[in-house]
Amino acid sequence: MSELPVPDLAPVNRGPLDRSLMIGLIVLGLLAIMPLLSPILGGDYMLSLVIKAMIFAIAAISLDLVLGYGGMVSFGHAVFLGIGAYVTGIALQEGVYGAFPILALVLLISGAFALITGAISLRTTGVYFIMITLAFAQMVYFSLTSLSYYGGDDGLTLWDTPEVFGMYLFQTGSGLFYSTLVLLALIWFFVWRLAMSRFGRVLRAAKQNPTRVGSLGYNVFVYRLIAYVISGMLAGVAGFLLACQAEFISPSTTSWQISGHLIIMVVLGGLATRNGPLLGALFVVLIEEILSQITHDWRLIFGPLLVLIVLFSKGGLAGLLKNKRATG
Amino acid sequence: MNSTILLIQLLNGVQFGVLLFLIAAGLTLVFGVMGFINLAHGVQYMIGAYLTFMYYSWTNHFLAALALGLVTALVLGLLLEELIFRHLYTRDHLDQVLATFGIILFVNELVKVIWGPGTLTLPTPEILSGSIQLTENLKYPVYRLALIAIGLFVALCLYVIVTKTRVGMLIRAGASDSETVNALGVNISRLFMIVFGFGAMLAGLAGALAAPIFTIEPGMGDNLLIVAFVVIIIGGIGSIRGAFIAALLVGVLDTLGRTIATDAMGLIFDASAANQIGPSIASMLIYLFMATILFFKPQGLFPAQGGAR
């Protein structure tokens, strides 16, 4: 494999003054000081809102690996959130309290699920791939509703949170906040590095022209499958955090509306960009909250807003920023 | 489980399939001809139901309400096409998903604001309110039979339009290669508008016809939309014939599955477990069916050549 030429598509400006790196670090830095600002901005409520936004940012970043860099439109990515949450919830219920064993289980099971469903789904492309990933998510959704021992349709309230070295790290707001932030920063960094690596270049090249990449000797299917599995595992981590935060698990986490929401976050933020999914997730969660403060019928504003953003901006929020720079 | 129940469920399945076909027909054409993913198609189904409800409460006459509802659904569909969808045909699938998702959010909420979040019901029209004695111990509501008849009639009309008329020929040509059709000088944007308006009206018809059977509520089209997507994927995108066959298959499979699954699970598990597992197995059946079909025929049962990647 090592002698194969690697297609070079690096429109990336590297170097210490890399602009996207700066923006990402500033955003993460702002997030890091949120607990200090929270007394001014609305206290614990604000904090838990930001935690939720960060959890969705993890899921969105992991989705971007397949959606943005890989060009595979997964319309069932919420399923990994659900798996992560349910593995966490069930483990706690069955007496496994250690955060690391639970996380290992989450990674293992969401990875295994991604491997199996990915191997089947990746036989198809385009619209058919969209629908088959949706189908798997729907199947999991209905399986979870029948798990009556763990709450069935109504979901399950968790009475414990995972412990880290004997500490209940996730029970305090700031403990959960910083754990989520650290995981977010790691995953943000990891996915970008992965996308810029040799592996990522093959993946991105295969998005543009799978036939050509295939004829260079790469097994496109395998590359895509690996990306899908990694993405599923990372989204599983988001599910773990979601269960820790909500202390509640429910089949509705895997509903197609949530999968749609994740796609919205990635596309709004900007596909296959370093900060796109991060900004997109923060934007969507916060704007929904702000609008719902203004009016009960906030979807009347948010819906048309989505349409307008699509009609008048190409390339999401990241593209909007870029356009401004280009014209101004 | 006896043969009477089975027959009733079979008829219910066909009736559900017919409704699915009315929704899927427009979806598969819009998808096949324009390569446009319209998540808001389920919204048009809901609009049909609500409009018919509104006109019924004004006129107290079902047929008049139905006719008015259809015309309004058509106008609204054309308006949406003119204002929004037209600008998205050449865009990426993801942009289409995003914009139509926004429309879903908006219309579901609007309906909630206008008619309230609760469920509404529409009485069955009086002429069709009785039941017919089909066999010795089987009575079946006339309205549901009428619904099946209307659905089959619409399917026949569509079949004739698509296979025998000039517009139909253009639609078929568009589904297999819209670029060439455009290059040949056909006014493709007008063709798109016709297809879109027509699809919206059919979905509205499905909603109006379903209103007396199901309850009318905000978001009623969302889950049906997903099932309609399953139908057009199984049938092959862009194929009316495929959509018809797949809609009937899915309708019958889903309805019969709900009856049989619990009993079948009862053979393996004890009764309470079967009652839990049965319904979710039944809900999964159509997705399993789709995944199986895609595994063996990645383009669906009746792929329209080359269309709609």
Side-chain angles (χ1 to χ4, degrees):
Chain A
M1 279 298 242
S2 59
E3 306 119 61
L4 291 171
V6 177
D8 184 30
L9 358 115
V12 199
N13 50 333
R14 294 278 179 89
L17 284 174
D18 185 339
R19 189 165 186 144
S20 69
L21 179 68
M22 297 302 286
I23 294 178
L25 289 177
I26 289 171
V27 171
L28 290 173
L30 284 177
L31 285 172
I33 58 170
M34 281 309 280
L36 304 176
L37 298 177
S38 75
I40 321 165
L41 292 171
D44 286 348
Y45 174 70
M46 186 65 194
L47 215 53
S48 78
L49 185 70
V50 176
I51 295 175
K52 186 181 158 203
M54 293 195 296
I55 294 173
F56 273 99
I58 294 177
I61 290 172
S62 73
L63 175 62
D64 195 32
L65 184 61
V66 290
L67 187 70
Y69 299 111
M72 300 168 263
V73 184
S74 163
F75 200 176
H77 231 62
V79 86
F80 298 108
L81 274 179
I83 290 176
Y86 264 80
V87 169
T88 309
I90 291 173
L92 287 171
Q93 194 82 348
E94 298 302 329
V96 181
Y97 295 112
F100 293 110
I102 293 180
L103 262 178
L105 269 179
V106 166
L107 290 174
L108 190 74
I109 295 177
S110 47
F113 183 83
L115 186 67
I116 296 167
T117 59
I120 299 172
S121 309
L122 285 169
R123 285 172 51 88
T124 63
T125 52
V127 164
Y128 296 93
F129 183 80
I130 299 181
M131 298 316 294
I132 203 163
T133 47
L134 174 71
F136 282 122
Q138 292 288 91
M139 286 183 218
V140 169
Y141 173 80
F142 290 116
S143 315
L144 294 181
T145 59
S146 76
L147 268 184
S148 57
Y149 187 70
Y150 298 107
D153 221 355
D154 303 323
L156 181 69
T157 304
L158 306 176
W159 302 106
D160 296 289
T161 53
E163 55 175 26
V164 182
F165 302 126
M167 290 186 303
Y168 287 95
L169 187 62
F170 305 122
Q171 262 173 6
T172 60
S174 57
L176 180 63
F177 186 93
Y178 284 110
S179 324
T180 309
L181 181 64
V182 167
L183 283 172
L184 170 64
L186 287 175
I187 288 171
W188 168 78
F189 186 71
F190 169 72
V191 168
W192 175 254
R193 287 312 298 249
L194 187 68
M196 292 306 119
S197 69
R198 191 171 170 284
F199 173 86
R201 270 194 274 173
V202 176
L203 192 67
R204 284 182 290 139
K207 174 189 177 182
Q208 290 181 6
N209 193 336
T211 320
R212 188 177 285 181
V213 174
S215 64
L216 284 175
Y218 294 100
N219 189 336
V220 172
F221 177 84
V222 171
Y223 275 82
R224 287 185 168 161
L225 186 59
I226 292 172
Y228 191 76
V229 171
I230 293 174
S231 167
M233 290 164 86
L234 296 180
V237 173
F240 165 83
L241 290 168
L242 203 61
C244 291
Q245 193 214 7
E247 296 177 26
F248 177 70
I249 52 176
S250 145
S252 64
T253 312
T254 61
S255 71
W256 70 269
Q257 282 91 345
I258 303 280
S259 296
H261 245 82
L262 290 176
I263 294 182
I264 288 181
M265 290 169 183
V266 176
V267 178
L268 272 189
L271 284 166
T273 53
R274 185 194 297 223
N275 300 314
L278 173 65
L279 291 173
L282 296 179
F283 174 77
V284 168
V285 172
L286 294 181
I287 200 91
E288 284 184 357
E289 185 58 30
I290 293 168
L291 289 178
S292 69
Q293 296 287 328
I294 298 172
T295 164
H296 178 66
D297 309 307
W298 58 275
R299 290 184 186 86
L300 287 183
I301 307 171
F302 187 61
L305 189 68
L306 280 182
V307 176
L308 288 176
I309 292 177
V310 173
L311 285 181
F312 295 108
S313 94
K314 287 180 186 170
L317 294 177
L320 217 58
L321 291 173
K322 208 180 285 170
N323 285 345
K324 273 210 183 112
R325 274 213 303 281
T327 51
Chain B
M1 175 69 55
N2 56 38
S3 58
T4 311
I5 295 181
L6 209 61
L7 190 59
I8 289 184
Q9 291 303 332
L10 196 65
L11 280 171
N12 283 344
V14 171
Q15 173 240 305
F16 183 45
V18 159
L19 276 182
L20 280 178
F21 170 70
L22 290 179
I23 304 172
L27 198 61
T28 201
L29 286 183
V30 167
F31 209 167
V33 178
M34 311 174 203
F36 181 70
I37 300 190
N38 183 14
L39 291 186
H41 200 69
V43 156
Q44 262 129 9
Y45 166 84
M46 177 179 73
I47 288 178
Y50 270 100
L51 286 175
T52 310
F53 175 84
M54 181 181 77
Y55 287 125
Y56 183 81
S57 59
W58 291 353
T59 60
N60 249 331
H61 191 283
F62 184 81
L63 276 183
L66 182 65
L68 285 170
L70 284 188
V71 173
T72 319
L74 177 67
V75 171
L76 285 177
L78 291 176
L79 204 67
L80 272 179
E81 204 268 351
E82 172 75 30
L83 285 178
I84 301 170
F85 296 140
R86 167 166 305 190
H87 309 285
L88 298 170
Y89 292 150
T90 54
R91 293 290 197 85
D92 193 57
H93 278 163
L94 278 175
D95 282 346
Q96 300 165 353
V97 166
L98 205 60
T100 50
F101 199 87
I103 294 172
I104 296 183
L105 291 180
F106 177 74
V107 180
N108 278 350
E109 195 69 27
L110 188 68
V111 157
K112 220 181 275 182
V113 171
I114 298 177
W115 284 285
T119 59
L120 305 171
T121 47
L122 190 67
T124 41
E126 257 173 45
I127 339 162
L128 302 173
S129 61
S131 300
I132 288 185
Q133 198 83 28
L134 276 187
T135 63
E136 204 178 314
N137 45 8
L138 169 59
K139 271 180 145 183
Y140 200 72
V142 178
Y143 183 77
R144 285 174 182 251
L145 287 177
L147 206 160
I148 294 175
I150 294 173
L152 294 180
F153 177 71
V154 171
L156 188 70
C157 290
L158 267 181
Y159 180 76
V160 171
I161 291 174
V162 168
T163 54
K164 306 285 182 213
T165 66
R166 189 178 154 75
V167 172
M169 190 186 69
L170 291 176
I171 289 174
R172 274 181 295 141
S176 60
D177 191 346
S178 60
E179 275 169 37
T180 308
V181 175
N182 199 14
L184 288 172
V186 175
N187 186 346
I188 201 99
S189 70
R190 206 187 57 188
L191 179 70
F192 282 6
M193 211 168 117
I194 293 172
V195 171
F196 197 92
F198 207 61
M201 198 175 73
L202 283 180
L205 175 67
L209 291 177
I213 301 178
F214 304 129
T215 53
I216 309 173
E217 59 189 328
M220 63 190 273
D222 291 6
N223 287 321
L224 265 184
L225 168 82
I226 299 296
V227 182
F229 266 112
V230 169
V231 165
I232 70 173
I233 294 292
I234 292 176
I237 290 166
S239 162
I240 285 284
R241 183 173 55 141
F244 182 70
I245 292 171
L248 288 184
L249 281 176
V250 167
V252 170
L253 182 71
D254 190 61
T255 314
L256 279 188
R258 279 172 208 286
T259 331
I260 295 171
T262 308
D263 289 357
M265 287 302 116
L267 298 175
I268 311 169
F269 303 101
D270 62 86
S272 71
N275 278 333
Q276 294 290 344
I277 300 170
S280 65
I281 294 274
S283 310
M284 266 190 258
L285 271 181
I286 57 169
Y287 300 105
L288 272 174
F289 183 51
M290 177 173 97
T292 315
I293 295 269
L294 282 188
F295 190 79
F296 292 107
K297 300 199 72 163
Q299 301 281 305
L301 292 176
F302 302 96
Q305 298 304 317
R309 277 148 296 163

